[in-house]
Amino acid sequence: MSRISIADLGDLKGGENITISGWAQEIKILKSVTFIILRDSTGVCQVTIKGEPNLIEKASTLTRESVIMITGTFKKDGISKSAPEIACTGLTLLNPAGTPLPLGITDPVEADFETRFNNRILDLRKPKNNIIFRAKSSILWGIRKLMTDEGFVEVQTPKIVSSATEGGAEVFRVKYHEKDAFLNQSPQLYKEMLISAGIPKVFEVGPAFRAEEHNTNRHLNEFTSIDIEMAFSNDDDAMQMLELCVYQGITELMDKMGKELETLGYKIVVPKKPFPRMEYTEGIKILEENNVKFNFGDDFSSEHLKIIGSKMDGFYFITGWPEQVRPFYTMQRDDDQRFTKSFDLQYKELEITSGAQRVHDPNVLIKRLKEKGLNPENFEYYVSAFRYGMPPHAGWGLGLERLTQIALNIHNIREVTLFPRDRTRVTP
RNA sequence: GCCCCGAUAGUGUAGCGGCCUAUCAUACAGGCCUGUCGAGCCUGUGACACGGGUUCAAAUCCCGUUCGGGGCGCCA
């Protein structure tokens, strides 16, 4: 008589003695019968107590969300309309829950963001929230499987670093023994160095830190970045790999969890390949057609991307960005130095990936660093990797939370983060 | 960093100068109830973020603080 999960009750014939454990979601005591709605990670079932004054006595002291173990007989033809039914023969309180709950799991009232994230573990017990993280895991698994099949090596690079990656974004400062250091904004420089180290296909899934004091539905101060870098490749190769990744991630999600997600109100749409591509200059044309003023060399704002995104269905690339808006390591086009061999992957107005073919000539790299107002001396550890045979290479960085947000159509990025770090929140 | 908006029981809300000894739902405690399934019914406990000010009178108006929500910039 071992423990069984609620989802597996469906495989039983009826009449078996079983043990089942989980949280007491609701306790209803009527005159002649007592019910406990029991929830585990796989579903809910109804535990019925009839007669048995001992058990009723025990049940009457239970509080919602207490952890209990039930033994009983599975009833194939239970009377319950909503859940499989178990006739209770034993009830053990494993750990009581305090009362009242700061956040009811099944209460009809919605809680505010603040309340939800202050009591995140209770919030995550709600199936609709809980499944988000199985979905995120599933997407990531789809991508990991693809990358590994394609011969990529998963690596781990330092998160405590001595210089800011790109000069632009704000960085968190940390004390590192007697030195000052920073939390890495991106594995960019390290994954490029690994190309020179003879690992021609690398990928990393890890945290990235940005100290910007943003307050939006799509920014976190700590997020998960999926980064890849591939040798002897150009921007087009990187884009094809990216397309495949997004496709495989969402396909995996759809195959493994599509039905389950649907019952909780999520609709998964697997994107069609190839994703449409649009030049930066075509974007400008769209804006001009909509009577929006735009200066060549500027980045598109959210408002601009809303207009451009409304013309596109789902995922699309914006390519050919001007060099002013791209980092120093981005390669310029041979035929026109004003433009770069770079791309963003967009979904409507949301940017989920930024990538490019990179500069591989160390002299060009130093020139570009200076042009961007950065001191090449601070990047010597990086540039030196380019002096002794650096292959041409390309890659990108993809925001896992943003991809999950899109796949599940969730408005706020904090919802797809277990314990989000935003402008003010450092706990839990 | 900038611009809006907000803060009332555990949770979510109503009230927007005197009728507030503050509404309702839910939760919580107790009771009733032939099997509930958003169960139902009865009783009870429980709140105006903080500090100043205006006024005969402040939950309500003004200022500040703290915290939160949305948007912008920036980006993944």
Side-chain angles (χ1 to χ4, degrees), chain A residues 153 155-157 189-202 229-232 381-393:
Chain A
V153 175
V155 298
Q156 294 73 227
T157 63
L189 306 185
Y190 286 98
K191 64 181 180 170
E192 283 193 73
M193 289 163 72
L194 292 174
I195 295 296
S196 185
I199 309 177
K201 291 178 171 184
V202 294
E229 205 65 34
M230 40 209 276
F232 307 106
Y381 71 95
Y382 165 69
V383 177
S384 71
F386 289 65
R387 293 214 173 90
Y388 311 103
M390 167 66 91
H393 58 285

Short mmCIF file of all heavy atoms in Angstrom, two decimals, chain A residues 153 155-157 189-202 229-232 381-393:
data_model
loop_
_atom_site.label_atom_id
_atom_site.label_comp_id
_atom_site.label_asym_id
_atom_site.label_seq_id
_atom_site.Cartn_x
_atom_site.Cartn_y
_atom_site.Cartn_z
N VAL A 153 27.74 22.64 -26.75
CA VAL A 153 28.21 22.28 -25.41
C VAL A 153 27.67 23.31 -24.43
O VAL A 153 27.82 24.51 -24.64
CB VAL A 153 29.76 22.28 -25.37
CG1 VAL A 153 30.26 22.03 -23.95
CG2 VAL A 153 30.31 21.23 -26.34
N VAL A 155 27.76 25.42 -21.24
CA VAL A 155 28.87 25.91 -20.40
C VAL A 155 28.34 26.81 -19.28
O VAL A 155 27.18 27.23 -19.29
CB VAL A 155 29.88 26.72 -21.25
CG1 VAL A 155 30.49 25.84 -22.32
CG2 VAL A 155 29.22 27.96 -21.86
N GLN A 156 29.22 27.06 -18.33
CA GLN A 156 28.93 27.98 -17.24
C GLN A 156 30.04 29.03 -17.17
O GLN A 156 31.20 28.64 -17.03
CB GLN A 156 28.84 27.24 -15.90
CG GLN A 156 27.69 26.27 -15.78
CD GLN A 156 27.84 24.98 -16.59
OE1 GLN A 156 26.93 24.55 -17.29
NE2 GLN A 156 29.00 24.37 -16.51
N THR A 157 29.70 30.26 -17.30
CA THR A 157 30.71 31.32 -17.26
C THR A 157 30.50 32.18 -16.00
O THR A 157 29.44 32.11 -15.39
CB THR A 157 30.62 32.21 -18.51
OG1 THR A 157 29.35 32.86 -18.53
CG2 THR A 157 30.79 31.39 -19.78
N LEU A 189 30.84 38.22 -23.55
CA LEU A 189 32.29 38.23 -23.81
C LEU A 189 32.90 36.85 -23.56
O LEU A 189 33.77 36.41 -24.31
CB LEU A 189 32.97 39.30 -22.95
CG LEU A 189 32.39 40.72 -23.11
CD1 LEU A 189 33.21 41.72 -22.32
CD2 LEU A 189 32.30 41.14 -24.57
N TYR A 190 32.40 36.17 -22.54
CA TYR A 190 32.96 34.85 -22.23
C TYR A 190 32.62 33.80 -23.27
O TYR A 190 33.44 32.96 -23.63
CB TYR A 190 32.51 34.41 -20.83
CG TYR A 190 33.24 35.18 -19.76
CD1 TYR A 190 32.66 36.29 -19.15
CD2 TYR A 190 34.53 34.83 -19.39
CE1 TYR A 190 33.34 37.02 -18.19
CE2 TYR A 190 35.23 35.55 -18.44
CZ TYR A 190 34.63 36.65 -17.83
OH TYR A 190 35.32 37.36 -16.90
N LYS A 191 31.37 33.85 -23.75
CA LYS A 191 31.03 32.82 -24.73
C LYS A 191 31.80 33.04 -26.03
O LYS A 191 32.18 32.08 -26.70
CB LYS A 191 29.51 32.75 -24.97
CG LYS A 191 28.89 33.96 -25.58
CD LYS A 191 27.37 33.81 -25.76
CE LYS A 191 26.80 35.08 -26.37
NZ LYS A 191 25.43 35.00 -26.81
N GLU A 192 32.12 34.29 -26.36
CA GLU A 192 32.95 34.54 -27.55
C GLU A 192 34.36 34.00 -27.33
O GLU A 192 34.95 33.41 -28.22
CB GLU A 192 33.03 36.05 -27.82
CG GLU A 192 31.79 36.63 -28.46
CD GLU A 192 32.05 38.03 -28.99
OE1 GLU A 192 32.74 38.17 -30.01
OE2 GLU A 192 31.58 38.98 -28.34
N MET A 193 34.88 34.22 -26.11
CA MET A 193 36.23 33.73 -25.82
C MET A 193 36.32 32.21 -25.98
O MET A 193 37.35 31.67 -26.39
CB MET A 193 36.64 34.15 -24.40
CG MET A 193 36.89 35.65 -24.30
SD MET A 193 36.89 36.23 -22.59
CE MET A 193 38.41 35.55 -21.99
N LEU A 194 35.21 31.53 -25.67
CA LEU A 194 35.20 30.07 -25.78
C LEU A 194 35.28 29.60 -27.22
O LEU A 194 35.74 28.48 -27.50
CB LEU A 194 33.98 29.49 -25.07
CG LEU A 194 34.01 29.66 -23.55
CD1 LEU A 194 32.70 29.21 -22.94
CD2 LEU A 194 35.19 28.91 -22.95
N ILE A 195 34.83 30.46 -28.15
CA ILE A 195 34.98 30.14 -29.57
C ILE A 195 36.47 30.02 -29.90
O ILE A 195 36.90 29.09 -30.57
CB ILE A 195 34.33 31.25 -30.44
CG1 ILE A 195 32.82 31.30 -30.22
CG2 ILE A 195 34.67 31.05 -31.91
CD1 ILE A 195 32.07 30.06 -30.63
N SER A 196 37.22 30.95 -29.36
CA SER A 196 38.68 30.93 -29.58
C SER A 196 39.32 29.78 -28.82
O SER A 196 40.40 29.32 -29.16
CB SER A 196 39.27 32.27 -29.14
OG SER A 196 40.64 32.34 -29.43
N ALA A 197 38.64 29.32 -27.77
CA ALA A 197 39.18 28.21 -26.97
C ALA A 197 38.92 26.85 -27.61
O ALA A 197 39.23 25.81 -27.03
CB ALA A 197 38.56 28.25 -25.57
N GLY A 198 38.32 26.86 -28.78
CA GLY A 198 38.11 25.60 -29.47
C GLY A 198 36.84 24.87 -29.08
O GLY A 198 36.76 23.65 -29.14
N ILE A 199 35.86 25.61 -28.62
CA ILE A 199 34.53 25.02 -28.44
C ILE A 199 33.63 25.74 -29.44
O ILE A 199 33.11 26.82 -29.17
CB ILE A 199 33.99 25.24 -27.01
CG1 ILE A 199 35.03 24.78 -25.96
CG2 ILE A 199 32.68 24.48 -26.81
CD1 ILE A 199 34.62 25.02 -24.53
N PRO A 200 33.50 25.17 -30.62
CA PRO A 200 32.89 25.94 -31.71
C PRO A 200 31.39 26.18 -31.57
O PRO A 200 30.85 27.04 -32.24
CB PRO A 200 33.20 25.11 -32.95
CG PRO A 200 33.42 23.73 -32.44
CD PRO A 200 33.97 23.85 -31.06
N LYS A 201 30.74 25.41 -30.72
CA LYS A 201 29.32 25.66 -30.50
C LYS A 201 29.07 25.65 -29.00
O LYS A 201 29.16 24.60 -28.36
CB LYS A 201 28.47 24.56 -31.14
CG LYS A 201 28.49 24.56 -32.66
CD LYS A 201 27.67 23.41 -33.18
CE LYS A 201 27.47 23.48 -34.69
NZ LYS A 201 26.57 22.41 -35.14
N VAL A 202 28.77 26.79 -28.42
CA VAL A 202 28.52 26.85 -26.98
C VAL A 202 27.14 27.42 -26.71
O VAL A 202 26.62 28.24 -27.47
CB VAL A 202 29.54 27.73 -26.21
CG1 VAL A 202 30.91 27.13 -26.26
CG2 VAL A 202 29.53 29.16 -26.69
N GLU A 229 26.64 30.79 -29.00
CA GLU A 229 27.65 31.37 -29.88
C GLU A 229 28.14 30.24 -30.77
O GLU A 229 28.33 29.11 -30.30
CB GLU A 229 28.79 31.96 -29.05
CG GLU A 229 29.56 33.07 -29.73
CD GLU A 229 28.76 34.34 -30.01
OE1 GLU A 229 27.86 34.69 -29.21
OE2 GLU A 229 28.99 34.99 -31.04
N MET A 230 28.26 30.50 -32.07
CA MET A 230 28.68 29.44 -32.98
C MET A 230 29.79 29.94 -33.92
O MET A 230 29.71 31.03 -34.48
CB MET A 230 27.48 28.88 -33.76
CG MET A 230 26.47 29.91 -34.22
SD MET A 230 24.78 29.26 -34.36
CE MET A 230 24.85 28.52 -35.98
N ALA A 231 30.84 29.11 -34.06
CA ALA A 231 31.99 29.48 -34.87
C ALA A 231 31.71 29.25 -36.35
O ALA A 231 30.84 28.47 -36.72
CB ALA A 231 33.22 28.67 -34.45
N PHE A 232 32.48 29.93 -37.20
CA PHE A 232 32.38 29.81 -38.66
C PHE A 232 30.94 30.00 -39.11
O PHE A 232 30.43 29.28 -39.96
CB PHE A 232 32.93 28.45 -39.13
CG PHE A 232 34.32 28.19 -38.61
CD1 PHE A 232 34.53 27.28 -37.60
CD2 PHE A 232 35.40 28.91 -39.12
CE1 PHE A 232 35.82 27.05 -37.10
CE2 PHE A 232 36.69 28.68 -38.62
CZ PHE A 232 36.90 27.76 -37.63
N TYR A 381 41.55 41.33 -21.38
CA TYR A 381 41.38 39.89 -21.19
C TYR A 381 40.52 39.29 -22.30
O TYR A 381 40.67 38.12 -22.67
CB TYR A 381 40.74 39.60 -19.82
CG TYR A 381 39.28 39.98 -19.72
CD1 TYR A 381 38.28 39.04 -19.96
CD2 TYR A 381 38.90 41.28 -19.41
CE1 TYR A 381 36.93 39.39 -19.89
CE2 TYR A 381 37.56 41.63 -19.34
CZ TYR A 381 36.58 40.69 -19.58
OH TYR A 381 35.26 41.05 -19.53
N TYR A 382 39.62 40.11 -22.81
CA TYR A 382 38.71 39.67 -23.86
C TYR A 382 39.38 39.79 -25.23
O TYR A 382 39.42 38.81 -26.00
CB TYR A 382 37.45 40.54 -23.77
CG TYR A 382 36.51 40.53 -24.95
CD1 TYR A 382 35.76 39.42 -25.27
CD2 TYR A 382 36.35 41.69 -25.71
CE1 TYR A 382 34.87 39.45 -26.33
CE2 TYR A 382 35.47 41.74 -26.78
CZ TYR A 382 34.73 40.61 -27.09
OH TYR A 382 33.85 40.65 -28.12
N VAL A 383 39.95 40.94 -25.51
CA VAL A 383 40.56 41.17 -26.82
C VAL A 383 41.70 40.18 -27.08
O VAL A 383 41.90 39.72 -28.21
CB VAL A 383 41.06 42.64 -26.96
CG1 VAL A 383 41.76 42.84 -28.30
CG2 VAL A 383 39.89 43.62 -26.82
N SER A 384 42.39 39.82 -26.03
CA SER A 384 43.54 38.92 -26.21
C SER A 384 43.10 37.57 -26.78
O SER A 384 43.86 36.89 -27.45
CB SER A 384 44.30 38.73 -24.90
OG SER A 384 43.54 37.94 -24.01
N ALA A 385 41.87 37.20 -26.51
CA ALA A 385 41.35 35.93 -27.06
C ALA A 385 41.24 35.99 -28.58
O ALA A 385 41.08 34.97 -29.24
CB ALA A 385 39.98 35.63 -26.44
N PHE A 386 41.30 37.21 -29.12
CA PHE A 386 41.12 37.39 -30.57
C PHE A 386 42.48 37.45 -31.30
O PHE A 386 42.52 37.48 -32.52
CB PHE A 386 40.37 38.70 -30.85
CG PHE A 386 38.90 38.65 -30.48
CD1 PHE A 386 38.50 38.51 -29.15
CD2 PHE A 386 37.92 38.75 -31.47
CE1 PHE A 386 37.17 38.47 -28.82
CE2 PHE A 386 36.58 38.70 -31.13
CZ PHE A 386 36.20 38.57 -29.81
N ARG A 387 43.58 37.46 -30.56
CA ARG A 387 44.88 37.73 -31.18
C ARG A 387 45.56 36.47 -31.70
O ARG A 387 46.52 36.56 -32.45
CB ARG A 387 45.81 38.39 -30.14
CG ARG A 387 45.36 39.78 -29.75
CD ARG A 387 46.52 40.71 -29.46
NE ARG A 387 46.03 42.06 -29.26
CZ ARG A 387 45.68 42.54 -28.06
NH1 ARG A 387 45.78 41.77 -26.98
NH2 ARG A 387 45.23 43.78 -27.95
N TYR A 388 45.07 35.31 -31.29
CA TYR A 388 45.81 34.09 -31.66
C TYR A 388 44.91 33.09 -32.38
O TYR A 388 44.91 31.89 -32.10
CB TYR A 388 46.42 33.46 -30.39
CG TYR A 388 47.15 34.48 -29.56
CD1 TYR A 388 46.59 34.99 -28.40
CD2 TYR A 388 48.39 34.98 -29.99
CE1 TYR A 388 47.25 35.96 -27.67
CE2 TYR A 388 49.06 35.96 -29.26
CZ TYR A 388 48.49 36.44 -28.10
OH TYR A 388 49.12 37.41 -27.38
N GLY A 389 44.11 33.65 -33.30
CA GLY A 389 43.30 32.76 -34.13
C GLY A 389 41.87 32.63 -33.66
O GLY A 389 41.46 31.62 -33.08
N MET A 390 41.09 33.69 -33.86
CA MET A 390 39.67 33.67 -33.51
C MET A 390 38.84 33.46 -34.77
O MET A 390 38.89 34.25 -35.70
CB MET A 390 39.28 35.00 -32.85
CG MET A 390 37.79 35.23 -32.72
SD MET A 390 36.97 34.09 -31.57
CE MET A 390 37.09 35.02 -30.04
N PRO A 391 38.07 32.37 -34.82
CA PRO A 391 37.22 32.14 -36.00
C PRO A 391 36.11 33.19 -36.10
O PRO A 391 35.71 33.74 -35.09
CB PRO A 391 36.61 30.77 -35.75
CG PRO A 391 37.38 30.17 -34.62
CD PRO A 391 37.94 31.29 -33.84
N PRO A 392 35.62 33.43 -37.31
CA PRO A 392 34.41 34.24 -37.43
C PRO A 392 33.29 33.55 -36.66
O PRO A 392 33.25 32.32 -36.61
CB PRO A 392 34.09 34.23 -38.93
CG PRO A 392 35.30 33.69 -39.60
CD PRO A 392 36.06 32.88 -38.60
N HIS A 393 32.39 34.32 -36.06
CA HIS A 393 31.35 33.68 -35.25
C HIS A 393 30.13 34.57 -35.11
O HIS A 393 30.19 35.77 -35.38
CB HIS A 393 31.91 33.30 -33.88
CG HIS A 393 32.47 34.45 -33.10
ND1 HIS A 393 33.68 35.03 -33.39
CD2 HIS A 393 31.97 35.14 -32.05
CE1 HIS A 393 33.91 36.02 -32.55
NE2 HIS A 393 32.88 36.12 -31.72
#
